[in-house]
Amino acid sequence: MHPDLDERDLELLHGLQIAPRVTWADAARILGTTPATVAARWARLREAGVAWVTAHPGGDYRRVVLALVEVDCLPGARDEVVRAVCADPRAVTVEESTRGRDLLLTVITPDLAGLTTFVLDDLPRMPGLQRQRTHVVSATHRDGSSWRLDALNRSQELAFEAAARATRPVPGVTPPPNAGPLISALAHDGRRTAAELASLTGRNPATVRRQLARLLASGLLSFRCEVAQSVSRWPISSTWLASVAPADQQRTVDAITTLPELRMCLSTTGDSNIAFTVWTRSLADLLRLERLIGEKLPWLTVRDNGINLRTPKRMGWLLTADGRATGEIVPPMTW
C-alpha cells in the first residue's frame, strides 16, 4: 500500500468515485464514522493532490464531439508542445506516450466544426508540432468515471449508488442559461455547494440553488473523483488502438468492458475502430492482460499498444510528474 493512503482513505475515495457529490452525512453513515471525520480526511487528500472531484461538459457525450488525437513533435520540442496543448481547454487530457506517438490528446468540442477548427487550423500552428492523427469517437462505452478502486464491500457500494441517484440526469431537462460561471466553479471543485457557488459567482443563493439543481438534472456535466495514479495501486497506464470487423464490434466491446482494469473504451473512426485504456498493477500484469485479450479475442487486431509515461493534464487539471493535482486548472469550454 502507498504510504499516503490507508484503507479508510481508499474506502472514502471509492465511495466518491460512485457518488462524487454525496453529502458527508451520507458518506459517514455508509462508512461507519462521522461527517467531520470524512470531511477532514477528504480535505487532507485533496490538499496533498492525491484526489479531487471535477466536472466537465460531456455527460453521456452525446451532445459533444469527442476525439483522440495522436501528436508527433519535432525533436526537442515536446515540452513546448505539451505546454501549448495543456493551456488549450479543448484538449481536456494530455498524455505523454511510448510507441508511435509523442502525445495522446483527448479532445472535447461542442460540434464537429469545433473539432475541425482545432485539428486543421489551431493545432498545426503550434510551434514544435510535426504531425497529428485524429480518431473521432463514434460511441463512448466506458470512461474514467466508471473506474473503481475496489475498496468497498457490496452493501457499501449499493448504499453509495443509492446516494448517487439523487443527482442522476432527468430526461427533458435542459441546462440553465448563463451556466458558464457555475460550470467553471464546479470544474475547480465538483463538490461545491450552492452556497459556495453563490458566493463565488456573486449570484443570489436561492437562484443558484435552482440553477444548480437544473444543471445537475440536465446531465450536461460529468462528475468524477480522480485519484493520482501513483497512489492508486494501478500505476501502469496503457492505451490500445485496435480494429475489428463491424460484425464483431459489439461482442468485442462487451468483452472488454468486463475487464476490472479498464479505464476507457471507445468506438472510433478509421482503421483503428476500437480504443481502450487500462490501468494495471505492474508491467508483468500488463503482459498477462495482453495474453488474456489475445486468447479471448482472437479476432481483434491490435494496431498499437503504448504505455502512457506521464499525464501532465487530466480532464482539465494540471498534474505533477507523479500524477498529483497541482491545484492549477484549465477550465473546460462552456457552450
Side-chain angles (χ1 to χ4, degrees), residues 134-294:
T134 300
H135 309 267
V136 180
V137 175
S138 54
T140 301
H141 309 292
R142 183 75 61 84
D143 69 6
S145 64
S146 301
W147 183 80
R148 300 290 182 257
L149 281 166
D150 194 26
L152 298 174
N153 61 44
R154 186 54 183 156
S155 65
Q156 291 172 319
E157 287 183 320
L158 291 173
F160 275 109
E161 288 170 5
R165 283 194 283 272
T167 55
R168 292 270 170 86
V170 178
V173 176
T174 58
N178 302 317
L182 295 183
I183 294 173
S184 180
L186 288 168
H188 286 77
D189 183 354
R191 288 191 52 81
R192 279 174 169 159
T193 64
E196 291 171 327
L197 293 170
S199 177
L200 286 167
T201 61
R203 297 181 179 181
N204 179 277
T207 300
V208 170
R209 279 195 296 273
R210 291 193 298 271
Q211 291 176 331
L212 178 61
R214 182 172 165 185
L215 181 60
L216 297 177
S218 74
L220 174 65
L221 295 182
S222 292
F223 289 85
R224 69 169 70 173
C225 176
E226 294 280 13
V227 180
Q229 189 174 1
S230 59
V231 302
S232 70
R233 297 180 174 178
W234 285 269
I236 307 298
S237 174
S238 177
T239 295
W240 304 47
L241 300 178
S243 61
V244 296
D248 293 325
Q249 188 153 28
Q250 188 57 56
R251 65 169 176 162
T252 303
V253 169
D254 291 343
I256 291 173
T257 51
T258 64
L259 296 172
E261 299 90 350
L262 186 70
R263 282 279 297 189
M264 175 192 77
C265 182
L266 310 169
S267 291
T268 63
T269 59
D271 293 338
S272 301
N273 57 4
I274 294 282
F276 59 98
T277 297
V278 294
W279 282 13
T280 58
R281 295 181 185 274
S282 65
L283 291 173
D285 199 34
L286 179 60
L287 179 60
R288 174 196 59 79
L289 197 61
E290 290 176 344
R291 289 172 176 165
L292 176 65
I293 291 173

